[in-house]
Amino acid sequence: MTRSRRPTALAAALALASLLGCEPVPEGGPAAPVRAVTECEVTRIADGDSIDCAPLGRIRLVGIDTPELSQDPIGRVAADVLRSHIPIGSRVGVELDVEERDRNGRLLGYVWAEGQLVNWLMVRSGHAVTLTYPPNVQYVDALEAAQGAARSERSGLWAADGFDCLPIERRRGSC
């Protein structure tokens, strides 16, 4: 009898959710912002790659992509991991790249908290994948290296087959 991998993947994702806050923060990544940073206060975690931050509004973490909240439980896991890095009420710095806004009007930002690039942390911990839209490529090399390491180590959602269908492919209805 062939056993489906899906229940195992869901169980692993749920187990990951219960471990939030217990995982060590990966080392490495960009050391400091390259461009000017604007401070704001996190008021809401919309999903794994979008936040609301006063007074700037909705910010899409540029260079990364996470499962949608509708992909329960892995979408919720990604959002919870982001929340563990930047809890509501925390002050963060937002660094812009070449294009300031996406087609939905969201600010495209690299989010810095406690001296670490949160976008990179999400990829390195295995809870986000890279998504590059030139000309916003400030940290593309660091993000791609982080993804390679997370994937080879089967970190985060990679361990739960959470990226068998990449978020962008799911939005397109490809899988």
Side-chain angles (χ1 to χ4, degrees), residues 10 21 38 54 61 63 65-66 70 72-73 84 96 119-120 122 133 137 139 156-157 169 173:
L10 293 177
T38 303
L61 277 68
D65 202 13
T66 62
S70 62
D72 206 19
S84 75
L96 304 180
N119 310 49
W120 182 89
M122 291 294 292
Y133 286 106
V137 296
Y139 298 108
L157 297 178
E169 293 171 353

Side-chain angles (χ1 to χ4, degrees), residues 5-164:
R5 291 179 6 161
R6 201 34 126 191
T8 303
L10 293 177
L14 291 172
L16 283 172
S18 69
L19 292 174
L20 289 176
C22 300
E23 297 178 26
V25 174
E27 292 184 22
V34 174
R35 294 182 167 97
V37 170
T38 303
E39 280 197 20
C40 61
E41 181 179 334
V42 178
T43 58
R44 179 174 176 253
I45 303 296
D47 57 25
D49 53 30
S50 297
I51 64 172
D52 291 341
C53 206
L56 301 177
R58 179 63 52 96
I59 299 170
R60 170 72 167 76
L61 277 68
V62 68
I64 72 170
D65 202 13
T66 62
E68 301 299 321
L69 289 176
S70 62
Q71 291 177 261
D72 206 19
I74 61 175
R76 181 76 43 212
V77 168
D80 288 345
V81 169
L82 182 58
R83 188 175 292 104
S84 75
H85 291 304
I86 51 172
I88 293 177
S90 61
R91 299 218 35 100
V92 299
V94 178
E95 177 185 15
L96 304 180
D97 206 327
V98 176
E99 292 180 338
E100 289 188 12
R101 297 200 178 266
D102 68 6
R103 64 180 181 198
N104 298 316
R106 298 175 295 190
L107 199 60
L108 296 170
Y110 299 105
V111 175
W112 291 86
E114 298 180 13
Q116 294 189 300
L117 179 58
V118 176
N119 310 49
W120 182 89
L121 288 172
M122 291 294 292
V123 174
R124 183 60 183 89
S125 68
H127 295 94
V129 293
T130 60
L131 182 63
T132 305
Y133 286 106
N136 293 330
V137 296
Q138 179 66 46
Y139 298 108
V140 70
D141 292 339
L143 292 171
E144 287 177 353
Q147 179 173 298
R151 186 176 189 174
S152 69
E153 294 168 4
R154 298 202 44 85
S155 298
L157 297 178
W158 292 107
D161 301 323
F163 293 120
D164 280 353

